[in-house]
Amino acid sequence: MPELSPLLADRIAAASAFVFDMDGTLVLGDAASGGHQSLPGAAALLSELRVRGTPFRVFTNGTAKPPEVYASSLRHAGLDVADHEMMTPSTAAAAWFVAKGIKRVRVLGLAGVQAPLIEAGLDVIGPSEKAEGVEAVYTGWFREFTFPDLEAAYKDVWAGAMLTTASNVPFFATAGGRAIGASYAINAMIRAMTGKRAKVLGKPSREALRSALTLMKLPVSAEASTVIVGDDPALEMRMARSAGAIGVAVTTGLCSRDDFMARGSPERADAILPGLQPILEALN
């Protein structure tokens, strides 16, 4: 597979929008999603999109912090990202819950997971808070997870609540290597107790991509001309394939070129790049 064919470069240059992963794509951070260091080409690429007037969103699958805190960290790393241009799975989840008429949600996660749902006007129930009539359980970044939280969640699911999650992938990229995705482990425990598989509301769900397009004031038809850039075939490339978008893989995070090449059609990348510079060159 060529890194970037002339045809694909032209499609990228004509893109309606970009959706970037954060960790392993634009920046590398520590295992607790704290400070970030920008990767080569990231600042220049975002600046070029700003000059061109091409909308973009940075969509992390992490929920350790509210979107505006991640945006601030990216700005500190030298990237021009406004608060409203930062998304987490909770951004997409809040929109999905509102659209489905779900109002009462138990959230297994702290402020980073809860904030977008609270801002959307949902009735957020704490991890082990006693409550009746819970309509959905939503899991996210939650290393403080305890057995009382597990008991509260599986009892809600037994009572009919839908099980949803920010993410169901085991790892994410950091400067020190792979770090464990907390919601993946939590989901496995709840599933063991209830037999229910969590509905993913963050990446790679199509709901997540459509939330990003809506926030950019673009129609669903813009999916095909949206460029999705990321380091995880199970997240960004799968989301791109499911929507017919342009999936560009970078090897600066979780996966090597061989890892991407070994993936089947549902997670196939349109191009596999060593970094962001070829995208920037396609825009110039």
Side-chain angles (χ1 to χ4, degrees):
M1 178 185 293
E3 288 185 356
L4 202 59
S5 69
L7 178 60
L8 188 56
D10 288 345
R11 290 183 66 196
I12 288 173
S16 298
F18 283 72
V19 176
F20 295 97
D21 177 45
M22 184 177 74
D23 291 300
T25 300
L26 295 177
V27 296
L28 287 175
D30 61 33
S33 296
H36 292 100
Q37 294 182 338
S38 64
L39 285 164
L45 177 54
L46 297 187
S47 295
E48 178 63 22
L49 292 177
R50 187 80 71 206
V51 169
R52 294 168 66 95
T54 303
F56 67 85
R57 287 295 182 272
V58 179
F59 195 156
T60 179
N61 230 35
T63 49
K65 298 176 182 179
E68 61 270 18
V69 176
Y70 283 123
S72 176
S73 183
L74 294 184
R75 290 193 294 271
H76 186 72
L79 303 185
D80 181 12
V81 178
D83 287 354
H84 72 276
E85 292 170 326
M86 187 75 220
M87 291 183 66
T88 75
S90 290
T91 312
W96 190 84
F97 287 135
V98 169
K100 294 295 182 182
I102 294 172
K103 299 178 180 179
R104 195 164 170 80
V105 182
R106 182 180 302 281
V107 177
L108 270 62
L110 302 179
V113 189
Q114 296 179 14
L117 277 66
I118 294 171
E119 291 172 8
L122 299 173
D123 182 8
V124 171
I125 311 301
S128 58
E129 182 181 347
K130 292 184 178 179
E132 300 292 334
V134 173
E135 299 170 89
V137 172
Y138 175 62
T139 69
W141 180 262
F142 193 34
R143 289 199 168 191
E144 301 81 1
F145 181 78
T146 66
F147 270 93
D149 304 326
L150 174 62
E151 291 168 345
Y154 74 65
K155 287 177 181 177
D156 288 338
V157 175
W158 282 351
M162 175 183 290
L163 179 59
T164 64
T165 186
S167 173
N168 197 45
V169 293
F171 304 109
F172 64 96
T174 75
R178 294 185 175 190
I180 295 172
S183 54
Y184 179 87
I186 295 170
N187 295 337
M189 284 186 277
I190 298 175
R191 186 179 181 192
M193 300 302 299
T194 66
K196 300 293 184 180
R197 186 185 297 271
K199 178 177 179 60
V200 178
L201 298 178
K203 295 182 295 187
S205 73
R206 202 159 181 182
E207 290 90 345
L209 177 57
R210 289 184 172 178
S211 292
L213 293 175
T214 297
L215 290 169
M216 289 185 280
K217 297 181 169 40
L218 293 172
V220 172
S221 59
E223 285 179 327
S225 56
T226 296
V227 179
I228 300 174
V229 186
D231 69 320
D232 192 335
L235 293 181
E236 294 84 34
M237 298 309 104
R238 181 174 284 272
M239 185 163 72
R241 293 283 68 74
S242 69
I246 303 163
V248 178
V250 290
T251 59
T252 45
L254 282 176
C255 295
S256 68
R257 183 179 181 84
D258 287 344
D259 292 332
F260 280 110
M261 291 292 289
R263 296 297 177 127
S265 180
E267 297 176 351
R268 175 182 54 81
D270 291 300
I272 304 170
L273 307 180
L276 298 169
Q277 186 64 30
I279 303 175
L280 180 60
E281 292 171 1
L283 297 177
N284 290 319

